[in-house]
Amino acid sequence: MAKGKTGPVDWAMRVVLWLYALVSIPLYLWFLHHMGDRWGRQLPADDDLRFWLPIVVPLAAFSFTTMSSTSWWWSTEDRPFLLGRKDWRFMMVFVVALSLMAGFFGSAHRDVVAVLLTVMATTIGIAGLWLLPPALSPRLLDTLRPKKAPADLS
């Protein structure tokens, strides 16, 4: 495919990724804000976390996931970007743990249903955030293809 030209496959993939991102990311961030707020209301009235939990939890999830996924999508073995293809895992474990804690502690009923709904919202939201960088990429199909090592000319 010539540089700068986009074909029907590229447009179809871009539309699918954008539709998924437009639905999943706001829903996930609302979920984290709502559950962070409910979790904060359970804390003592003089605790500063009551104010900060609904703000910090969605911002941390958005920024850490986007940074990790951007690094993963644009890194190669030769050119590590930000965290590279190996060091992104710690931030994602943090985001998943934060999301699960917010969902569980913010739930009115702490049972299996709350855990399942939190796992579903976390999975859907993190997948949307993980696919956001390639959806924003002007060279979408090149971004999604596996990175190949240069051929040995000797």
Side-chain angles (χ1 to χ4, degrees):
M1 191 178 288
K3 195 173 191 175
K5 293 189 91 170
T6 56
V9 173
D10 188 49
W11 281 108
M13 187 68 125
R14 190 175 304 281
V15 167
V16 167
L17 287 177
W18 270 106
L19 286 175
Y20 187 78
L22 286 173
V23 171
S24 66
I25 294 172
L27 182 66
Y28 180 55
L29 295 178
W30 173 84
F31 169 78
L32 291 177
H33 171 75
H34 180 68
M35 289 302 180
D37 184 47
R38 289 180 63 163
W39 184 10
R41 281 191 244 143
Q42 297 172 14
L43 297 173
D46 62 342
D47 196 338
D48 289 338
L49 278 177
R50 286 178 72 114
F51 174 77
W52 288 108
L53 274 175
I55 298 168
V56 171
V57 172
L59 285 176
F62 181 82
S63 60
F64 290 170
T65 305
T66 306
M67 188 182 336
S68 296
S69 64
T70 302
S71 181
W72 192 87
W73 284 109
W74 273 277
S75 291
T76 62
E77 294 298 325
D78 302 344
R79 269 183 344 155
F81 179 77
L82 293 173
L83 304 168
R85 287 217 168 187
K86 296 180 179 140
D87 297 329
W88 58 271
R89 290 177 184 93
F90 173 74
M91 290 176 77
M92 290 309 301
V93 167
F94 174 76
V95 169
V96 169
L98 184 67
S99 180
L100 293 177
M101 283 177 26
F104 183 74
F105 291 123
S107 176
H109 305 285
R110 295 183 182 140
D111 55 5
V112 176
V113 174
V115 171
L116 290 175
L117 290 174
T118 300
V119 167
M120 285 175 26
T122 299
T123 304
I124 290 168
I126 287 178
L129 287 170
W130 192 264
L131 293 171
L132 188 60
L136 294 172
S137 173
R139 301 179 68 202
L140 176 65
L141 291 180
D142 292 336
T143 302
L144 294 175
R145 284 190 188 99
K147 309 287 190 250
K148 295 181 182 177
D152 188 16
L153 300 174
S154 36

